[in-house]
C-alpha cells in the first residue's frame, strides 16, 4: 500500500472531520492515523492525516478538499519526505556536530546541503562529514552586505529550512521575511533573564535550579517566535559554571534535534505565535 499524508489548516466549522473523511473515502483512501485540533481562540482547525491507498489523482484530491473546506484553507498532500536544510553557525560546535552525525547516518530526516559560518572555526568539523562549508565574515561589512552574501549561498541550494545552530548574529527583518516560517533557532532558556554575554555565569551567580533550551521559529521579535520544543533539567549547588555549560550544551543538542524531527516530519503547525504539534 502507498502511504499518503494530508495536512490541513483552515477556519473551523461544524462537521469538518466528517467532510474530510468522506472526500478521502471517495478517493479510495483509508485513514490509518488522524490527529486534529481546534484552536478555539483563533477559530482555526488543524489536521494531520495518514492514509493507505492504491492509486488516486493527487491534484483532484487537493481540488476536491479545497472545494468543501472553508475559504482560504491550506491543504498539502504528500509533502516532500526528506527536507533540504542549510545550517548556519558561529563558533560553537555541539549542535552542528550532532546534526552532522545524524545526517551522516541518515537519521536526520533531512539532507544537510551546506554549512555557513561567520567564522571559519567549524570548517574542519564540517569537512570530516564531506558537507560544503562557506565562510561569510561579518567583519568590516554592513549588515546588508553580510546578509546578501549569505542569501546568495542559501538560495543556490533552495533549502526547505535554514537552521541556526548557535548562529550568534541578529538577523534583519528583511532576511527573516525572505525565509518566513523556514528559520529554526536554538538558544538557552534563561531568556528574558540573564541577557547578553556569559548567561551561564550569571545564572550560576543567581543560584538557578533549572537550566534548559528552547527551539523556535525565527520572527522579527528577537527570540520570541513560535516555540517548537522546550526542555529543562535540574541543577543544584554542586554545579560549577563549567558543569552548567556542559549540561546546557547537551540539552541544546537534544532540543534542537527534537524540533527538527517534528518539523521535518510535518508534525508542526503554526497558529499565530503558538505551535500545534502532533507527536
Amino acid at each position: 500500500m502507498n502511504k499518503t499524508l494530508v495536512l490541513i489548516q483552515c477556519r473551523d466549522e461544524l462537521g469538518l472531520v466528517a467532510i474530510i473523511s468522506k472526500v478521502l473515502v471517495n478517493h479510495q483512501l483509508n485513514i490509518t492515523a488522524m490527529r486534529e485540533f481546534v484552536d478555539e481562540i483563533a477559530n482555526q482547525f488543524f489536521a494531520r492525516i495518514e492514509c493507505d491507498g492504491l492509486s488516486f489523482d493527487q491534484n483532484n484530491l487537493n481540488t476536491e478538499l479545497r472545494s468543501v473546506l472553508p475559504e482560504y484553507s491550506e491543504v498539502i498532500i504528500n509533502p516532500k519526505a526528506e527536507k533540504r536544510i542549510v545550517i548556519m553557525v558561529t563558533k560553537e560546535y555541539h549542535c552542528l556536530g550532532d546534526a552532522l552525525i545524524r545526517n551522516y547516518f541518515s537519521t536526520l530526516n533531512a539532507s544537510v546541503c551546506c554549512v555557513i559560518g561567520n567564522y571559519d572555526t567549524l570548517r574542519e568539523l564540517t569537512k570530516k562529514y564531506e558537507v560544503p562549508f562557506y565562510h561569510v565574515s561579518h567583519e568590516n561589512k554592513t549588515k546588508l552586505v553580510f546578509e546578501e552574501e549569505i542569501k546568495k549561498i542559501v538560495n543556490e541550494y533552495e533549502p526547505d529550512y535554514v537552521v541556526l545552530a548557535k548562529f550568534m548574529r541578529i538577523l534583519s527583518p528583511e532576511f527573516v521575511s525572505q525565509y518566513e516560517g523556514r528559520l529554526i533557532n536554538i538558544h538557552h532558556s534563561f531568556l528574558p533573564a540573564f541577557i547578553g554575554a556569559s548567561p551561564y555565569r550569571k545564572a550560576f551567580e543567581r543560584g538557578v535550579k533549572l537550566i534548559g533550551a528552547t527551539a523556535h521559529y525565527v520572527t522579527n521579535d528577537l527570540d520570541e517566535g513560535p516555540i517548537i520544543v522546550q526542555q529543562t533539567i535540574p541543577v543544584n549547588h554542586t554545579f560549577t559554571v563549567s558543569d552548567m555549560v556542559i549540561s546546557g550544551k547537551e540539552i541544546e543538542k537534544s532540543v534542537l534535534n527534537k524540533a527538527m524531527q517534528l518539523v521535518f516530519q510535518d508534525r508542526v503547525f503554526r497558529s499565530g505565535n503558538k505551535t500545534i504539534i502532533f507527536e
Side-chain angles (χ1 to χ4, degrees):
M1 283 263 180
N2 294 322
K3 296 291 184 180
T4 296
L5 178 62
V6 180
L7 308 173
I8 296 173
Q9 179 173 346
C10 64
R11 185 179 71 251
D12 186 40
E13 287 186 359
L14 184 66
L16 285 177
V17 172
I19 291 170
I20 294 166
S21 300
K22 182 178 180 181
V23 171
L24 295 176
V25 168
N26 289 342
H27 287 262
Q28 302 298 306
L29 289 169
N30 179 48
I31 297 173
T32 57
M34 180 174 183
R35 299 291 304 278
E36 54 84 18
F37 176 77
V38 174
D39 183 338
E40 295 183 0
I41 296 175
N43 194 38
Q44 287 288 298
F45 172 87
F46 305 86
R48 184 183 189 277
I49 310 164
E50 297 178 20
C51 307
D52 281 340
L54 292 174
S55 63
F56 67 96
D57 188 305
Q58 185 166 306
N59 290 332
N60 284 345
L61 175 59
N62 195 310
T63 299
E64 186 172 345
L65 282 170
R66 290 178 183 275
S67 71
V68 298
L69 291 172
E71 191 176 11
Y72 307 119
S73 296
E74 296 179 25
V75 178
I76 301 174
I77 300 172
N78 287 333
K80 186 164 55 176
E82 183 175 273
K83 307 301 191 280
R84 293 167 54 84
I85 68 171
V86 167
I87 299 178
M88 293 171 56
V89 297
T90 294
K91 292 182 178 181
E92 295 186 64
Y93 67 84
H94 55 290
C95 288
L96 173 64
D98 185 68
L100 290 175
I101 290 172
R102 296 177 190 277
N103 180 68
Y104 182 82
F105 287 103
S106 302
T107 61
L108 190 61
N109 285 317
S111 175
V112 180
C113 302
C114 75
V115 176
I116 301 172
N118 61 312
Y119 289 95
D120 207 35
T121 310
L122 300 177
R123 179 186 294 276
E124 288 304 312
L125 172 61
T126 306
K127 185 177 179 181
K128 293 179 188 295
Y129 293 94
E130 300 180 344
V131 173
F133 181 89
Y134 296 90
H135 175 213
V136 181
S137 175
H138 63 279
E139 296 177 342
N140 301 316
K141 295 175 185 173
T142 64
K143 183 184 289 285
L144 176 62
V145 170
F146 172 59
E147 291 184 346
E148 284 298 323
E149 292 178 1
I150 291 176
K151 285 193 290 186
K152 182 177 180 181
I153 298 168
V154 171
N155 293 341
E156 284 178 2
Y157 286 95
E158 300 182 339
D160 298 291
Y161 294 96
V162 178
V163 178
L164 309 182
K166 304 299 291 184
F167 179 73
M168 309 304 288
R169 304 293 300 179
I170 297 174
L171 297 169
S172 70
E174 291 74 22
F175 186 98
V176 172
S177 65
Q178 182 157 345
Y179 305 102
E180 175 67 26
R182 297 191 288 147
L183 285 167
I184 300 171
N185 187 38
I186 181 71
H187 61 72
H188 60 76
S189 285
F190 294 135
L191 298 176
F194 313 133
I195 296 172
S198 304
Y200 286 97
R201 175 164 293 282
K202 293 176 183 176
F204 169 78
E205 291 170 352
R206 179 63 181 82
V208 301
K209 302 305 181 188
L210 288 173
I211 61 175
T214 296
H216 64 95
Y217 289 106
V218 178
T219 65
N220 289 327
D221 295 320
L222 182 62
D223 292 327
E224 293 185 13
I227 294 169
I228 306 168
V229 177
Q230 285 184 306
Q231 185 179 337
T232 61
I233 56 174
V235 296
N236 59 42
H237 62 277
T238 68
F239 275 65
T240 65
V241 174
S242 179
D243 291 333
M244 284 190 177
V245 170
I246 292 171
S247 296
K249 288 182 177 180
E250 289 300 314
I251 198 170
E252 285 175 353
K253 289 192 302 184
S254 174
V255 168
L256 179 58
N257 175 63
K258 178 68 172 178
M260 289 192 294
Q261 295 295 329
L262 291 169
V263 170
F264 300 160
Q265 292 175 28
D266 300 291
R267 296 181 179 276
V268 182
F269 293 78
R270 290 178 57 177
S271 180
N273 202 44
K274 299 187 297 184
T275 54
I276 312 304
I277 299 178
F278 296 128
E279 296 192 51

